[in-house]
Amino acid sequence: ERSYSIYLSFGFDAVFTSGHYHGYYFEGNSNKKDKKEKEKEKDKDAKKDNNFKIEQLSAENAAECAALYKQACGSSRLNEIKAAIGGHFPCLVLSLPGKGVVAYTTGAYLMGHSLAKDLASFQALVAAVSAIHKPHERLPPPEFMVPHCYPSVGRWLAKSGFRLRRHIICMEYNAEEAFAPPQGGMVYCNNINY
């Protein structure tokens, strides 16, 4: 693409790619599982998800979200996280008793980012965000930018009602030590800016 070549000529480097997914969460792939198996999984998921405390992003929990981001990505996003408080898009924080914040989002849209300590926390976050977005006429379907280094996350989203809209190349200017999405089980969904 022409603009890609222009960015490269200005010193930008392609550092990773992401899939841009949008849609609403629904449970399971109805074509692959029988009714009895689905009920077992639903009961198991309900018990697991009931442990999560879900709340709005606030001044009280922003610092803990920023600490999770710093642990995952090595830098601070405290000001950006605080700026998302009270915005148009729902910003949620999930925590577990004794573990603190395990997932948060600054909004499930192109300008928001999401981070979870593990896939189960990410799945609970997606379900919670979808439950808020779906009944609201003014909110579009939730969107997540999932780096391709998390293939299981993309597969899970595709099985759970989300569609891949496009692939996006994430670039940095003169990236000597390029940003890489966190590994070790964490799930980081970047926004369109970074």
Side-chain angles (χ1 to χ4, degrees):
E1 189 174 306
R2 188 181 213 176
S3 62
Y4 181 75
S5 297
I6 291 170
Y7 278 100
L8 288 176
S9 70
F10 287 138
F12 285 87
D13 298 315
V15 292
F16 65 95
T17 58
S18 292
H20 174 204
Y21 292 85
H22 80 289
Y24 294 106
Y25 170 76
F26 72 85
E27 290 196 30
N29 186 341
S30 58
N31 299 332
K32 303 259 179 181
K33 296 176 184 170
D34 65 20
K35 194 173 185 178
K36 207 178 227 185
E37 193 177 341
K38 279 192 225 173
E39 286 301 317
K40 281 182 189 176
E41 285 188 9
K42 189 175 181 181
D43 291 342
K44 183 179 160 188
D45 287 343
K47 287 175 188 166
K48 182 175 70 177
D49 291 346
N50 284 339
N51 293 332
F52 288 103
K53 179 182 175 188
I54 302 168
E55 57 190 349
Q56 292 290 322
L57 179 63
S58 66
E60 290 78 33
N61 56 30
E64 198 171 351
C65 294
L68 179 62
Y69 186 92
K70 186 163 186 148
Q71 174 192 351
C73 301
S75 60
S76 177
R77 292 261 186 239
L78 179 60
N79 290 335
E80 180 184 342
I81 291 168
K82 284 181 176 179
I85 297 169
H88 178 69
F89 288 87
C91 300
L92 298 182
V93 177
L94 274 66
S95 56
L96 284 172
K99 292 187 178 181
V101 171
V102 293
Y104 74 90
T105 184
T106 59
Y109 71 115
L110 287 177
M111 297 302 290
H113 73 271
S114 303
L115 178 63
K117 280 192 172 182
D118 54 39
L119 183 57
S121 300
F122 178 73
Q123 291 169 336
L125 180 66
V126 169
V129 167
S130 289
I132 292 172
H133 274 247
K134 199 163 191 174
H136 289 278
E137 294 174 5
R138 294 182 186 171
L139 290 175
E143 299 177 300
F144 296 94
M145 301 262 294
V146 180
H148 288 123
C149 63
Y150 305 134
S152 60
V153 176
R155 265 192 295 281
W156 179 81
L157 284 170
K159 288 180 185 176
S160 300
F162 285 76
R163 291 187 177 199
L164 177 66
R165 281 186 122 166
R166 60 188 165 160
H167 300 283
I168 296 177
I169 300 168
C170 301
M171 303 181 91
E172 288 185 10
Y173 185 72
N174 287 331
E176 303 226 351
E177 291 182 30
F179 172 82
Q183 300 297 312
M186 289 190 145
V187 178
Y188 170 66
C189 296
N190 56 295
N191 74 18
I192 197 76
N193 292 327
Y194 63 91

